[in-house]
Amino acid sequence: MSAQEKPSKKKSWLKKLVVVFWVGFTLAIIGFPAYLWAVSNNVNNWFGSLPSYSQLGNPEQNLTSLLFTADGVQLGSGYYRDNRNPVSYDELGDNLVHALLAAEDIRFNQHSGIDLESMFRVAFGVITFSPKGGGSTITQQLAKNLFNTRVIKKEDKGKLEGINGFLDQLIYKTKEWILAVRLERSYTKEEIMAMYYNTVEFGNNAFGIKSAAKTYFNKMPKELSVDEAAVLAGMQKGVTTYRPDINPENSKRRRNVVLSQMVKYGFLAQQAYDTLRTKDINLDEFRQQDHNTGLAQYFRAEASKDLLELCKALGYDLYGDGLKIYTTIDSRMQAYAEDAMDSAMQRIQNKFDSLLKIEGRDLWIDNRGREIENFFEENAVPRSVAYRNLVRKYGKESDSVDYYMNRPKKMTVFSWGGDIDTVLSSRDSIRYYKQFLQSGFLATEPKTGAIKAWVGGINFQHFKYDHVRYGKRQPGSLFKPFVYATAVEQGYSPCYTFKDEAVAIPTGNGDEVWSPSNSEGRFSGEEMTLKLAMARSVNSITARVMEIVKPNKVVDMAKRLGIKSTIPPYYSIALGTEDVSLFELLGAYGTFANKGTHIEPYYISRIEDKYGNEIYRHVPRKSKAINEDVAYVMLNMLQETVKSGSGQRLSWQYGLVDRGQTKNNIGAKTGTTQNGSDGWFIAVTNEVVAGAWVGGDERPIHFTKWSDGQGAYTALPIVGRFLQKIYADNTLSIEKTFFERPPNLSIEVDCQKFADVLTTTDTSNIYDDDIY
């Protein structure tokens, strides 16, 4: 090779290098922007579409709809697909802001969505095989979270997506760059920071920082300490890996990394870091947010059913639109109701269990206290969820059904002393749970129909069935006021007298007659007023009144007062033989306290959308059921139950009224079914109507003695304790008041000739209170 050829080859190589440089430079200057333009506009549908500018201004997120009490307390964690409650930047606090900047994007306030310095650092790390961390800014991560750039529906994919993994990553990253720049143009830095914290997941069904702060530390975001903020900010590197509840050591190490970064960037003093780095993460307040925790669990579950329909009619998504739902529930009254039920039901259950043990019998008995053979196997087991699921899977005749029903397994079961971890078969667990007596409680404001407290059962986590609305049972003597109200409306004074004696009333069905007995099984022969007969639940006199006023008139009265269940016009309905709900009964009794105007009980007062615009306001449903005179007479008669009947405990045990009701007026009525399987009690005042039901999960589950299962024993203590609590709470402003007598009352209510009997007869010991 000649000497002239060597320089020629060198020049040729230099020319090629120059060409490559200019080609690369041209591609960088022209090609890359063209590529960005092509991705942005999805040229030829190669890359898949990007969110529109309108979507950027209003990005779609599943937001939690929140439920609030009338006194401003949030009920539970709300209704959600993702448990997400958005917060503003001002609600974050400095600790969260500084922790995120130090951990994820210290130049956040300087760049416009893309941090070139970080990108070059990452690129150099890839080239030199020495990665130096991620290059995504907070804004890029927000874009990914908001618009799911890496989870694309098949119909939305571009032609180049899904062909090659590297190409997919490039397209995804490019989209995030573009979206990050657009977000920076659409929002302030503060808004982006808040949006980021509102979109990220923290595990344990906590979406967004507000839910996370509540779940892990039971605090609002602004209340988080610097180390708590570092825990939550640090979780974004890997939620599961750094969850403090399941990986505490990993979480602690990651927290300390964030804290050290905060020291590095001047957000935290070295001395504070030295103290905090050795500190364990305190999760004493950790509570996974779900529908089994918090106040008014039964109410929230029942409300969701109506809210789904209401929101659908309004054109909103209950589980995704972030609505604010304002209820009539009062948090204080609700807490008192739950406390009253817990306190009373524990005592009642102890009594039931001890008698069951002494009597040595099975759970299921008939009206005479005799065991019902094979009831468990023939009725309880086949109706269970576990049995039905197995039959659906294997067939009714399959041996597998019995095998799995009898197979022991680990489970956590309810007890009044706290949940118990144990080993039981499905069959044994059914029997175990059946032994618990159930209950329902409701309190309303009669003048408005607003529901103030709702407790559907003894424990929502283990017993989901709501006994307020769906637990229809025979009301027993609670139905009698409807009979007497019909008589009063037809002109009978509560002072009208009847004799307590056997009756035989033709039913109109051939030779069949109706001859009810009294609960004591005997007739006293005593002449007594209608007022006293209702107070003492004398069946014979109620039957005589029913014979006079006729069943169809009583049915009409019950319907006007608010009973919606089907009530056939039979004579026997006078004693409460047809099933009704506590919800219906409270509405009916509230009519007496509301001067004869029935207002349908309600619990949703208004709803706002996520922007605070009102989209619904409840309009009370009112109807004039009876005139004011009849309503007052019924209140007067119900007072007699507290003075001389089965409601006297409100006076001598709970101190709610004095003997003559000279300091406070309370009307009341007990109800007990024939075999004592259902105990009821309702109390009526001007401000509150409160009622409770207590009974077994199935009708054959009850006390052997009728007297042990009567409403005065079982249901009254729940109502009594509740009223005690609300009267003692000065913040509620519920006063002890008198029923307002109509100025021109035309019906005689002051039965003076019986006053001596009522004031001299000591009946305070007619109910044994050994249970309490």
Side-chain angles (χ1 to χ4, degrees), residues 376-621:
F376 177 68
E377 292 296 337
E378 295 175 2
N379 293 274
V381 171
R383 288 201 296 265
S384 69
V385 174
Y387 181 86
R388 292 200 303 268
N389 287 341
L390 289 171
V391 168
R392 192 178 298 115
K393 183 174 183 179
Y394 297 107
K396 190 173 182 179
E397 305 303 324
S398 173
D399 293 339
S400 296
V401 174
D402 280 337
Y403 171 77
Y404 285 109
M405 286 296 294
N406 291 310
R407 184 183 181 185
K409 55 187 175 183
K410 293 181 179 180
M411 62 178 69
T412 301
V413 298
F414 168 78
S415 84
W416 279 112
D419 286 356
I420 299 172
D421 293 325
T422 186
V423 176
L424 290 174
S425 68
S426 293
R427 178 174 268 103
D428 289 338
S429 71
I430 295 168
R431 180 178 290 276
Y432 174 80
Y433 276 118
K434 290 292 183 183
Q435 74 181 353
F436 289 99
L437 296 177
Q438 302 295 327
S439 184
F441 175 90
L442 190 68
T444 67
E445 188 177 68
K447 294 176 183 176
T448 64
I451 293 172
K452 310 307 290 184
W454 178 318
V455 190
I458 59 173
N459 184 280
F460 182 74
Q461 182 174 352
H462 295 280
F463 305 96
K464 302 293 187 189
Y465 188 76
D466 180 81
H467 293 282
V468 168
R469 177 180 279 174
Y470 300 110
K472 293 187 176 185
R473 291 291 187 93
Q474 294 177 339
S477 296
L478 277 187
F479 198 84
K480 289 176 180 176
F482 308 150
V483 179
Y484 289 99
T486 307
V488 172
E489 189 174 63
Q490 291 183 10
Y492 285 84
S493 164
C495 300
Y496 197 94
T497 62
F498 282 96
K499 191 174 185 178
D500 176 19
E501 59 185 3
V503 294
I505 302 172
T507 64
N509 185 18
D511 296 331
E512 184 180 320
V513 295
W514 181 48
S515 302
S517 60
N518 289 331
S519 58
E520 302 89 354
R522 61 182 178 82
F523 304 99
S524 67
E526 180 183 351
E527 193 88 15
M528 64 181 73
T529 62
L530 294 184
K531 183 190 293 190
L532 189 59
M534 192 180 87
R536 295 183 178 177
S537 288
V538 181
N539 290 346
S540 64
I541 294 179
T542 306
R544 290 283 291 121
V545 175
M546 177 60 112
E547 183 182 22
I548 295 169
V549 301
K550 302 305 179 188
N552 62 318
K553 295 294 184 181
V554 173
V555 170
D556 176 64
M557 173 62 71
K559 294 297 181 184
R560 280 187 278 147
L561 291 172
I563 301 298
K564 289 182 167 49
S565 295
T566 301
I567 308 292
Y570 303 148
Y571 282 99
S572 60
I573 65 172
L575 306 184
T577 56
E578 299 300 318
D579 291 353
V580 294
S581 70
L582 185 60
F583 189 93
E584 296 172 277
L585 288 167
L586 262 287
Y589 275 70
T591 306
F592 299 141
N594 196 36
K595 300 182 179 181
T597 297
H598 172 69
I599 303 181
E600 188 172 326
Y602 74 99
Y603 49 81
I604 302 300
S605 57
R606 73 182 196 278
I607 302 175
E608 295 177 357
D609 67 15
K610 63 183 177 181
Y611 302 110
N613 302 311
E614 186 175 288
I615 59 174
Y616 171 82
R617 180 173 287 272
H618 177 77
V619 178
R621 299 173 185 173

Side-chain angles (χ1 to χ4, degrees), residues 39-43 45-52 55 147 149 152 155-158 161 175 179 182:
V39 174
S40 180
N41 291 276
N42 190 24
V43 172
N45 194 30
W46 285 338
F47 309 100
S49 61
L50 284 170
S52 65
Q55 288 175 303
F147 303 109
T149 54
I152 303 173
E155 60 270 21
D156 295 332
K157 279 190 175 183
E161 292 182 293
K175 287 182 177 181
L179 289 173
R182 290 181 180 178

Side-chain angles (χ1 to χ4, degrees), residues 323-335:
L323 307 176
K324 288 184 173 59
I325 302 158
Y326 296 91
T327 75
T328 60
I329 296 291
D330 185 284
S331 67
R332 296 156 295 184
M333 295 173 75
Q334 179 68 31

Side-chain angles (χ1 to χ4, degrees), residues 647-658:
Q648 292 177 80
R649 283 178 169 228
L650 293 185
S651 174
W652 57 263
Q653 183 174 351
Y654 294 97
L656 297 170
V657 293
D658 61 1

